[in-house]
């Protein structure tokens, strides 16, 4: 039977790529499987949590507290904790979210709770927040000590580089003799059974998902290596602006007035306030009503001590390179391409454990076949009889 798929290059190069493919898969396959499974869980995090939040029974025409008043009441509700983030939706039935950091206890992790927008009362923790926080730590740095500043991000970044090599190397190994024939890419050669059939499935799915894997890996490196992030920013002509600073203690009411003045005439479906650990440079991220995704938002920095506008970055005015940089997270999880993109990233992420398991199986099967082959060769050699 003539093989359907033949190596496009020399046999030596093919053998070298086969060994590299096996070595990378065995050494970092488990890490990629964990990253894929956790990435799939995070694909629809926002939708899941939104479904778990009970809407507020706000009647038509009933007034809700202004964001600045909500912030003041939230600060009084937890006097020993510092406010780190605050998020309010244009829909009054959606509870506000606020994140605290217990600096007195030396904690660095944020605790997010829901606020009743009618009276500022704390309704309870954000549903499934602890679960998704743990999943995100595992996905980004394998929950290793140091979080984003530890060795975990180096390991996951190395796994992302390995995924790029695995995808491109697998494409080379699978390249058919007739690449213009769609059947060579989308069908399994007849007569394959058992392990050989699963090997063809491994190759077929890997070829179909290669582009998505490359996208995931290339964007995932953004959070692992500073040199990579800086290089991409320079390549796109969108180097990150220097962070502005402001001294003093922030006044939320005064800062919100400055934000309203800076965004006059704009309509937003959601506004997030990010409070720095030190100083009064409050950062607002406001999502326009017709935004393409969650990161296509307007960024405004306000001096919370004076209400002065320190910096603005409106999404509609960004050049194409800055749009890509600002949307890197949404590109990574597929939301940049709408619901089809998110589904594609979900499916491909969920399939990474299959590639890891099947790759180990194929490796062990090859080792077993080699041992049997050596045993047969040894048994076929008859000892020379001596007189």
């Amino acid at each position: 039977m003539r093989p359907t798929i033949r190596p496009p290059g020399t046999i030596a190069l093919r053998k070298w790529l086969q060994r590299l493919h096996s070595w990378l898969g065995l050494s970092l396959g488990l890490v990629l499987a964990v990253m894929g499974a956790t990435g799939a869980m995070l694909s629809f995090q926002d939708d899941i949590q939104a479904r778990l939040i009970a809407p507020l029974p706000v009647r038509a025409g009933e007034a809700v507290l202004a964001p600045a008043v909500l912030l003041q009441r939230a600060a009084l509700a937890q006097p020993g904790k510092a406010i780190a983030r605050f998020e309010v939706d244009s829909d009054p039935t959606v509870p506000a979210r606020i994140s605290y950091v217990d600096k007195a206890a030396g904690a660095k992790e944020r605790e997010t709770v829901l606020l009743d927008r009618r009276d500022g009362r704390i309704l309870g923790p954000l549903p499934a927040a602890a679960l998704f926080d743990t999943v995100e730590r595992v996905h980004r740095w394998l929950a290793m000590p140091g979080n984003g500043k530890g060795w975990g991000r180096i390991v996951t970044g190395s796994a992302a580089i390995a995924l790029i090599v695995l995808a491109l190397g697998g494409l080379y190994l699978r390249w058919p003799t007739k690449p213009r024939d769609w059947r060579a890419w989308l069908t399994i050669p007849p007569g394959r059974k058992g392990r050989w059939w699963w090997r063809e499935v491994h190759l077929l799915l890997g070829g179909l998902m290669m582009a998505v894997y490359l996208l995931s890996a290339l964007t995932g490196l953004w959070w692992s290596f500073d040199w990579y992030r800086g290089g991409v920013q320079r390549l796109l002509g969108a180097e990150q602006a220097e962070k502005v600073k402001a001294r003093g203690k922030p006044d939320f009411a005064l800062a919100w007035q400055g934000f309203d003045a800076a965004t006059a005439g704009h309509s937003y479906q959601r506004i997030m306030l990010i409070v720095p650990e030190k100083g009064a440079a409050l950062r607002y991220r406001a999502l326009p009503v017709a935004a393409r995704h969650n990161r296509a938002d307007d960024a405004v920095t306000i001096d919370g001590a004076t209400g002065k506008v320190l910096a603005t970055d409106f999404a509609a005015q960004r050049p194409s390179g800055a749009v890509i940089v600002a949307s890197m997270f949404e590109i990574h999880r597929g939301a940049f391409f709408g619901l089809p993109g998110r589904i594609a990233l979900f499916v491909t992420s969920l399939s990474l454990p299959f590639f890891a398991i099947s790759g180990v199986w194929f490796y062990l099967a090859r080792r077993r076949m080699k041992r049997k082959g050596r045993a047969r060769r040894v048994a076929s050699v008859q000892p020379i009889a001596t007189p």
Side-chain angles (χ1 to χ4, degrees):
M1 180 184 299
R2 296 180 61 186
T4 303
I5 300 174
R6 297 175 180 173
T10 63
I11 296 177
L13 178 59
R14 179 179 173 82
K15 287 184 177 180
W16 183 84
L17 281 176
Q18 183 74 50
R19 291 171 183 169
L20 178 63
H21 197 88
S22 298
W23 182 82
L24 288 176
L26 291 172
S27 58
L28 292 170
L30 178 59
V31 177
L32 288 172
V34 171
M35 293 173 64
T38 52
M41 295 176 64
L42 294 171
S43 296
F44 294 92
Q45 174 185 352
D46 296 338
D47 305 81
I48 294 173
Q49 289 185 312
R51 290 281 185 178
L52 295 175
I53 297 175
L56 297 173
V58 179
R59 296 185 298 272
E62 183 178 1
V64 295
L65 297 177
V69 178
L70 269 177
L71 278 167
Q72 292 174 350
R73 296 199 179 186
L76 294 175
Q78 299 284 348
K81 299 179 180 180
I83 296 176
R85 290 191 179 185
F86 173 74
E87 186 176 327
V88 62
D89 199 278
S90 60
D91 184 356
T93 64
V94 177
R97 301 184 188 185
I98 190 162
S99 299
Y100 295 99
V101 175
D102 193 350
K103 294 184 178 180
K108 295 183 178 180
E109 301 296 331
R110 298 192 302 267
E111 175 191 2
T112 304
V113 298
L114 301 178
L115 290 179
D116 191 325
R117 297 177 61 178
R118 298 169 297 178
D119 52 17
R121 178 172 50 92
I122 295 179
L123 300 174
L126 176 66
L131 171 63
F132 284 114
D133 286 346
T134 301
V135 173
E136 183 178 0
R137 287 197 297 270
V138 173
H139 179 74
R140 296 182 64 181
W141 44 74
L142 303 178
M144 294 177 67
N147 294 336
K149 297 181 179 180
W151 282 98
R153 71 187 185 103
I154 305 299
V155 177
T156 55
S158 301
I161 295 176
L163 181 58
I164 296 173
V165 178
L166 288 169
L168 295 177
L171 177 66
Y172 181 89
L173 294 172
R174 195 193 189 280
W175 197 270
T177 55
K178 297 180 179 180
R180 295 183 180 181
D181 185 1
W182 65 269
R183 287 180 292 270
W185 296 100
L186 303 178
T187 60
I188 295 177
R192 300 293 195 268
K193 295 181 181 180
R195 179 172 64 88
W196 297 107
W197 186 86
W198 282 108
R199 180 179 178 276
E200 293 296 336
V201 173
H202 183 101
L203 294 171
L204 175 64
L205 294 180
L208 293 176
M209 299 179 180
M210 185 202 67
V212 182
Y213 284 140
L214 289 177
L215 179 68
S216 298
L218 290 171
T219 53
L221 289 172
W222 179 268
W223 292 275
S224 292
F225 302 111
D226 295 337
W227 58 265
Y228 180 85
R229 181 169 56 252
V232 173
Q233 288 175 336
R234 287 190 294 272
L235 180 65
L236 296 175
E239 295 190 41
Q240 188 175 5
E242 295 183 4
K243 293 183 178 180
V244 294
K245 298 181 180 180
R247 298 180 179 180
K249 185 177 181 180
D251 183 329
F252 294 122
L254 191 61
W256 213 279
Q257 292 177 8
F259 170 76
D260 287 337
T263 59
H266 295 262
S267 298
Y268 298 109
Q269 57 178 303
R270 186 173 65 247
I271 300 173
M272 176 186 293
L273 167 64
I274 302 174
V275 183
E277 295 183 4
K278 298 179 180 179
L282 304 182
R283 292 188 293 135
Y284 290 85
R285 287 173 45 189
L287 187 66
V289 175
R292 180 176 181 177
H293 51 76
N294 289 341
R295 296 301 173 96
D297 50 14
D298 296 342
V300 180
T301 304
I302 302 293
D303 186 340
T306 63
K308 179 183 177 181
V309 179
L310 299 177
T312 58
D313 179 20
F314 293 98
Q317 301 174 3
R318 290 174 188 151
S320 57
V323 169
I324 295 176
V325 168
S327 307
M328 194 63 66
F329 177 76
E330 299 299 325
I331 296 174
H332 181 68
R333 72 187 192 108
F336 185 85
F337 309 99
L339 182 59
R342 295 171 64 189
I343 294 175
L345 263 295
F346 173 80
V347 173
T348 53
S349 298
L350 204 59
S351 65
L352 275 174
F354 162 76
F355 286 103
I357 295 172
S358 60
V360 172
W361 178 31
F362 300 148
Y363 172 79
L364 295 177
R366 287 195 301 271
R367 298 278 295 182
R368 184 168 58 251
M369 291 178 62
K370 289 181 179 179
R371 287 196 299 268
K372 290 182 178 180
R374 285 195 297 266
R376 285 195 298 267
R377 288 193 295 272
V378 171
S380 64
V381 177
Q382 299 295 332
I384 301 174
T386 57

